[in-house]
Amino acid sequence: MTALYGAIEAGGTKFVCMVGAGPEDVRAETRFPTTSPERTLRQAIEFLRAEQDRQGPLAAVGIASFGPVDLRPDSPTYGYITSTPKAGWSNVSMAGAAAAALGVPVGFDTDVNAAALAEQRWGAGRGLHSFVYMTIGTGIGGGGLLDGRVLHGLVHPEMGHMRLPHDVAADPFAGICPFHGDCLEGLASGPAMNARWRQPAEDLPDDHPAWPLEAGYLALAVSNLVCTLSPQRIVIGGGVMSKAFLFPMIRQKVADLLNNYVRAPEIVDDIDDFIVAPGLGERAGAFGGFALAADALQASPPERDAV
Amino acid sequence: MTALYGAIEAGGTKFVCMVGAGPEDVRAETRFPTTSPERTLRQAIEFLRAEQDRQGPLAAVGIASFGPVDLRPDSPTYGYITSTPKAGWSNVSMAGAAAAALGVPVGFDTDVNAAALAEQRWGAGRGLHSFVYMTIGTGIGGGGLLDGRVLHGLVHPEMGHMRLPHDVAADPFAGICPFHGDCLEGLASGPAMNARWRQPAEDLPDDHPAWPLEAGYLALAVSNLVCTLSPQRIVIGGGVMSKAFLFPMIRQKVADLLNNYVRAPEIVDDIDDFIVAPGLGERAGAFGGFALAADALQASPPERDAV
């Protein structure tokens, strides 16, 4: 019998919840705005419980969460959102709450690591062992796998907060990151574009100077990721990337920046296949919940047979 | 009986070769300048053979090499230096040459990955699963481990070539990297300092403005590594770092740059222990050869018993 999983993509703006056996077999799906932690988590759990009554027992649940989150298995706050600027959501138990309410193994990771895992399993990263997923939207984040292992380390990456060359003569915009001003997210997220150009990014015409500037910052980020993580492919998703003409611009600028120094054929000969759009679209995060759930089930100690 | 290993640190300027059971038991050591590949590799192999005659058979050899190198096990040029600006050294087989001459398993990696491995096993990274080693000298390089695996990915990281904010009003120096101009290595390597200040870096007085500038670039690099790799500790070695007063300057600037966004206690409360000097000094690379040799022996198929 196919195992059924619950998947929760816990975003700062909305939650997406699914029940199914995986991306090819989604049996139920809902989305609702992120309000207070109590109310939003209750909604998620009620959805999963109701579907469980309808579809049969869930084998595990996976939560792809906004962050920063605590991913250290031995930490007393494992599975918590730790210190987020989002009001009310600091120090909130996510994984523990779901495990207590549902009594099944719960997988937990950042939304971007989960999306990376989903893309690697079912989307644009299939067959790759080292792989980065970035999202350029309300914020900028990145996750990935190296040598088959999801990127954790001390905490988890915060790729949106790397510092990049910022030519203040050409772009005097100071950046909007409350922590860092002109880090990548401060310069190139959707809200940063809106603030710089005083209009929503999606309304800017295709020939607006905003776009080469945006592609330039994203290319600098990609080239730094090549220099630090050496991924086999970089997938870039998120609302801003719905302007598909950004991809060739970014690829050209990355090639210029690396200047044939990293001579891997994947980059030098085939950059169209090195920097790509997501294979799973905007459902990568929620699908990542299925991947986390399946991994949590596999990692959980086997149940003893009933005597 | 303790296994004896050969270790070769193949540097662009000099080779360091050792025979021993590990860092605590070095039985012989030599160093010689890097000339042509044929001559330099012959010297290394002759040293190992002579010591083998004296000390008994080597169980394996490890080579910590300058690069870029080919680390893909299934590549026809695995174990080669690929495309280096160093004259005569492009497309040179390192691992294969040693294996053919000595008939033992040969481990092969970048000098900085090998140094990271040695520091993690015997030095400043003991007990850590995610760890970065940087060297600031003639060039700038970085290696490391994530979740216990050495950083490889598509090729291997080239941390010295990341792009950083460069305030040309404060520092009009254009950078000396032949590929990238003002990348990290172009701005902050020893030769970059020499070129900017028209005197050897080691002669600059401790209160020279060169040092806060240098610490600033290194802090930007460290903060970007925190955002992309999330290591548990960053070890910084190399000739430039012999000015120990750089460490507190870098730590303070990293704390300012991250601005409490990454709230791990290791960074927020204990940055003195997060950014540290190597435990193995300038022998980390050659000791890394021992680590690579031991790993190659462990990975090699067991010999059949003689009948």
Side-chain angles (χ1 to χ4, degrees):
Chain A
M1 208 193 70
T2 314
L4 274 189
Y5 302 113
I8 301 174
E9 183 186 9
T13 311
K14 66 174 191 297
F15 271 46
V16 180
C17 304
M18 295 180 180
V19 165
E24 301 292 329
D25 184 8
V26 177
R27 312 256 177 109
E29 181 171 353
T30 186
R31 50 191 66 208
F32 41 86
T34 307
T35 56
S36 73
E38 298 69 28
R39 182 167 167 204
T40 321
L41 289 173
R42 193 176 57 236
Q43 276 179 282
I45 285 162
E46 279 170 5
F47 167 78
L48 296 181
R49 277 199 180 130
E51 289 306 318
Q52 189 158 240
D53 291 346
R54 241 188 299 270
Q55 321 258 4
L58 302 181
V61 169
I63 306 177
S65 179
F66 74 102
V69 296
D70 186 345
L71 299 175
R72 310 184 201 208
D74 56 351
S75 161
T77 53
Y78 169 80
Y80 279 54
I81 294 178
T82 53
S83 52
T84 172
K86 191 167 171 67
W89 282 86
S90 284
N91 229 8
V92 167
S93 171
M94 304 288 284
L102 297 160
V104 294
V106 174
F108 182 71
D109 214 315
T110 63
D111 43 10
V112 280
N113 268 342
L117 201 53
E119 287 287 343
Q120 192 243 13
R121 213 160 281 185
W122 302 296
R126 250 176 290 198
L128 303 181
H129 55 74
S130 299
F131 171 75
V132 167
Y133 172 91
M134 296 183 75
T135 177
I136 321 295
T138 312
I140 295 185
L145 294 95
L146 263 189
D147 204 7
R149 313 281 191 110
V150 177
L151 286 172
H152 290 156
L154 178 64
V155 191
H156 51 74
E158 286 285 355
M159 297 182 192
H161 296 274
M162 70 171 113
R163 298 314 218 287
L164 301 172
H166 173 200
D167 179 350
V168 291
D171 175 26
F173 182 66
I176 59 157
C177 174
F179 289 91
H180 310 122
D182 66 350
C183 64
L184 171 60
E185 180 171 297
L187 288 173
S189 62
M193 296 190 75
N194 296 3
R196 183 191 285 107
W197 303 106
R198 295 170 197 279
Q199 57 182 304
E202 59 268 32
D203 296 346
L204 294 165
D206 292 3
D207 60 354
H208 194 281
W211 298 116
L213 188 72
E214 179 72 6
Y217 290 128
L218 298 179
L220 282 162
V222 166
S223 109
N224 278 2
L225 291 173
V226 169
C227 290
T228 53
L229 286 161
S230 194
Q232 295 169 289
R233 184 172 294 154
I234 295 182
V235 169
I236 319 183
V240 171
M241 297 307 297
S242 63
K243 304 284 188 186
F245 60 79
L246 281 170
F247 282 96
M249 295 168 78
I250 294 169
R251 291 180 189 123
Q252 181 59 53
K253 286 172 193 280
V254 167
D256 292 347
L257 283 166
L258 292 175
N259 195 19
N260 283 336
Y261 182 73
V262 177
R263 293 209 196 160
E266 288 83 349
I267 298 177
V268 176
D269 303 329
D270 202 10
I271 200 161
D272 289 357
D273 205 39
F274 181 70
I275 299 168
V276 302
L280 305 174
E282 53 176 36
R283 296 168 95 198
F287 289 167
F290 286 133
L292 295 173
D295 292 355
L297 180 63
Q298 201 166 28
S300 68
E303 245 176 281
R304 275 182 298 173
D305 293 331
V307 188
Chain B
M1 208 193 72
T2 314
L4 273 187
Y5 301 112
I8 300 175
E9 183 185 9
T13 312
K14 66 175 190 301
F15 271 47
V16 180
C17 303
M18 295 180 180
V19 166
E24 301 290 329
D25 184 8
V26 178
R27 311 255 177 109
E29 181 171 352
T30 186
R31 52 191 65 206
F32 41 87
T34 307
T35 56
S36 73
E38 299 70 27
R39 184 169 165 203
T40 321
L41 289 173
R42 192 175 58 238
Q43 277 179 280
I45 285 162
E46 278 170 5
F47 166 79
L48 295 181
R49 278 198 180 131
E51 289 306 318
Q52 190 158 239
D53 292 345
R54 239 188 300 270
Q55 320 257 4
L58 301 182
V61 169
I63 305 177
S65 179
F66 73 102
V69 296
D70 186 345
L71 299 175
R72 309 185 200 208
D74 56 351
S75 163
T77 53
Y78 169 81
Y80 278 55
I81 293 178
T82 53
S83 53
T84 171
K86 191 169 171 66
W89 282 85
S90 284
N91 230 5
V92 166
S93 169
M94 303 289 284
L102 296 161
V104 295
V106 173
F108 182 71
D109 214 316
T110 62
D111 44 9
V112 279
N113 267 343
L117 202 53
E119 287 287 343
Q120 193 242 12
R121 213 160 282 186
W122 302 298
R126 249 177 290 197
L128 303 181
H129 55 76
S130 300
F131 171 75
V132 167
Y133 173 90
M134 298 183 74
T135 177
I136 320 296
T138 312
I140 295 185
L145 294 95
L146 264 190
D147 205 6
R149 313 281 191 109
V150 177
L151 287 172
H152 290 156
L154 179 64
V155 192
H156 51 71
E158 287 285 355
M159 297 183 193
H161 296 274
M162 70 172 115
R163 300 313 219 289
L164 301 172
H166 174 199
D167 180 350
V168 291
D171 175 27
F173 182 67
I176 58 159
C177 175
F179 290 89
H180 311 122
D182 66 349
C183 65
L184 171 60
E185 181 171 295
L187 288 174
S189 63
M193 295 190 75
N194 296 2
R196 183 190 285 107
W197 303 106
R198 294 167 198 281
Q199 58 182 303
E202 59 267 32
D203 297 346
L204 294 165
D206 293 1
D207 59 355
H208 194 282
W211 298 114
L213 188 72
E214 178 73 5
Y217 291 127
L218 298 179
L220 282 162
V222 165
S223 107
N224 278 2
L225 292 172
V226 168
C227 290
T228 54
L229 287 161
S230 193
Q232 297 169 290
R233 184 172 292 153
I234 295 182
V235 169
I236 318 181
V240 171
M241 297 307 296
S242 62
K243 305 282 189 186
F245 60 79
L246 282 170
F247 281 96
M249 294 167 78
I250 293 168
R251 291 180 190 124
Q252 181 59 52
K253 285 171 195 282
V254 168
D256 292 347
L257 283 166
L258 292 176
N259 195 19
N260 283 335
Y261 183 73
V262 178
R263 294 208 194 161
E266 288 83 348
I267 297 176
V268 176
D269 303 331
D270 203 10
I271 200 161
D272 289 358
D273 205 39
F274 181 71
I275 300 167
V276 302
L280 305 173
E282 54 176 36
R283 297 168 95 197
F287 288 168
F290 286 134
L292 295 173
D295 291 356
L297 179 63
Q298 202 165 27
S300 69
E303 246 176 280
R304 275 182 298 172
D305 293 332
V307 188

